[in-house]
Amino acid sequence: MKICHYNNNQAGVVVGDQVFNIGDPLIKAGLARQGYTMVEIIDALANNPKAMDIARDASKSGTSAALSSTKLLAPIQNPGSLWAAAANYYAHRAEMVERVGSANKAVINKDDLMAEFFLKTTSSIIGPGDTIILPKISKLVDFECELCAVIGKRARKVTEDQALNYVFGYTICWDISQRDPWGKGIHNTRNIRKGFDTFSALGPWIVTRDEIDEPQNLSIKVLRNGKEAMTAHTSDMICGLREHIRFLTSCLTLRPGDLITTGTPAGVSKLRDGDRLHGTIEKIGSMELFVKDEE
């Protein structure tokens, strides 16, 4: 099931070329409130079987609108946390040595690498078809296109074997990253460099876990101005999603609607005014973004 957030903050299900409203029937059943957030909808769908039954019924015979005339929003605009994995593909680690002089240290202990998780600001979130604004202060801003997991159930001290049971679904996260002026030789700058307004793009929707049997077996492809810019596969991650969930929940509690984005593959490149990005992750879908200089 493809769970989307659209138009005037409505929750829906995408089926073919139609979007079916599920927020209204959930409100009618007393399973959502007026003015709900998508975090609340995800919590209900993940933890109340009746809510998921209502969503399935609505997606077959409920009120719908053409997807082509619908404005898709970021599927979650207010996650409690957006955890972002750092340097999680060997090829990306190597390219960053050349781009900004990063130290390409050997990964001896995966937990040491995962301890570099950072938080992205929720104020930086935009959705499909939105525009990335390049700050005047920056001379080098890259795109990063990543698989992102949406947590469905409260999770603490979860084993890798059980980790995917706590995932509600998957979406795409674009981790837009400033490399200059604070990306070289200065520690602890990721939250700022990756937290500018418009620097976290999510979408186009959330594909529920049952439709993706293995998150480590998905292709990623990015076109920039119609030309191939990134081709990768999630099997190349250093630390997989199961390890991410095990590590994070060994330290803290994950809650419904929290996000884990799993790091970018190689192929990042400098964004310029007027660029058009088109990213696809297998079994999830595609989304476009535009790029503009700050005025």
Side-chain angles (χ1 to χ4, degrees):
M1 190 177 293
K2 297 174 181 175
I3 308 297
C4 72
H5 185 207
Y6 70 104
N7 288 357
N8 298 312
N9 296 307
Q10 297 162 286
V13 172
V14 177
V15 181
D17 61 358
Q18 296 291 304
V19 178
F20 291 83
N21 183 292
I22 63 171
D24 290 347
L26 287 172
I27 291 171
K28 186 176 180 180
L31 298 177
R33 63 179 179 86
Q34 294 284 351
Y36 58 76
T37 68
M38 288 302 291
V39 168
E40 293 170 291
I41 295 296
I42 289 164
D43 193 357
L45 294 175
N47 297 294
N48 189 326
K50 184 179 178 182
M52 187 58 83
D53 288 342
I54 290 170
R56 290 194 185 98
D57 289 343
S59 70
K60 296 174 183 176
S61 58
T63 303
S64 69
L67 179 60
S68 60
S69 63
T70 297
K71 170 57 179 173
L72 291 176
L73 308 173
I76 306 178
Q77 294 178 326
N78 67 323
S81 56
L82 200 177
W83 290 100
N88 195 34
Y89 287 76
Y90 284 114
H92 176 61
R93 293 169 69 90
E95 76 178 350
M96 292 310 294
V97 173
E98 294 186 11
R99 290 185 70 73
V100 295
S102 299
N104 192 9
K105 299 178 182 178
V107 178
I108 306 299
N109 184 307
K110 287 187 176 182
D111 280 15
D112 290 346
L113 174 59
M114 288 187 286
E116 294 189 43
F117 260 108
F118 58 94
L119 286 163
K120 287 183 66 70
T121 58
T122 57
S123 59
S124 68
I125 292 174
I126 58 174
D130 286 344
T131 300
I132 300 162
I133 303 298
L134 303 177
K136 290 181 179 179
I137 194 173
S138 304
K139 296 179 180 178
L140 178 58
V141 176
D142 288 342
F143 75 83
E144 301 183 1
C145 186
E146 310 179 3
L147 174 68
C148 182
V150 182
I151 297 299
K153 299 180 180 180
R154 192 174 183 88
R156 183 76 164 98
K157 296 184 178 178
V158 174
T159 65
E160 290 179 22
D161 288 344
Q162 295 296 315
L164 297 188
N165 294 335
Y166 293 84
V167 173
F168 173 70
Y170 303 93
T171 190
I172 298 172
C173 178
W174 297 79
D175 176 19
I176 308 305
S177 304
Q178 184 216 59
R179 309 295 187 194
D180 178 89
W182 303 306
K184 182 177 181 180
I186 304 175
H187 297 294
N188 302 319
T189 62
R190 283 193 179 106
N191 289 343
I192 293 295
R193 293 189 295 105
K194 294 166 173 278
F196 281 77
D197 287 352
T198 74
F199 272 26
S200 303
L202 301 173
W205 40 63
I206 299 166
V207 174
T208 51
R209 184 185 73 223
D210 58 296
E211 295 196 12
I212 296 178
D213 58 347
E214 180 49 72
Q216 305 308 142
N217 187 30
L218 302 172
S219 62
I220 300 173
K221 185 175 182 178
V222 175
L223 301 179
R224 178 181 173 184
N225 302 325
K227 296 182 180 180
E228 188 174 293
M230 175 185 286
T231 301
H233 200 273
T234 58
S235 62
D236 293 330
M237 290 181 196
I238 300 171
C239 302
L241 179 60
R242 293 172 178 83
E243 292 167 302
H244 286 158
I245 293 172
R246 188 267 306 163
F247 175 79
L248 286 170
T249 63
S250 73
C251 305
L252 50 93
T253 300
L254 293 173
R255 300 155 298 176
D258 283 352
L259 304 177
I260 303 172
T261 190
T262 52
T264 187
V268 304
S269 61
K270 180 180 177 178
L271 293 173
R272 292 179 172 82
D273 182 70
D275 278 348
R276 183 172 184 168
L277 299 173
H278 183 279
T280 302
I281 296 185
E282 183 183 0
K283 297 185 179 180
I284 295 177
S286 302
M287 63 181 287
E288 281 193 325
L289 295 168
F290 302 91
V291 182
K292 186 178 179 181
D293 284 339
E294 182 181 18
E295 295 181 354

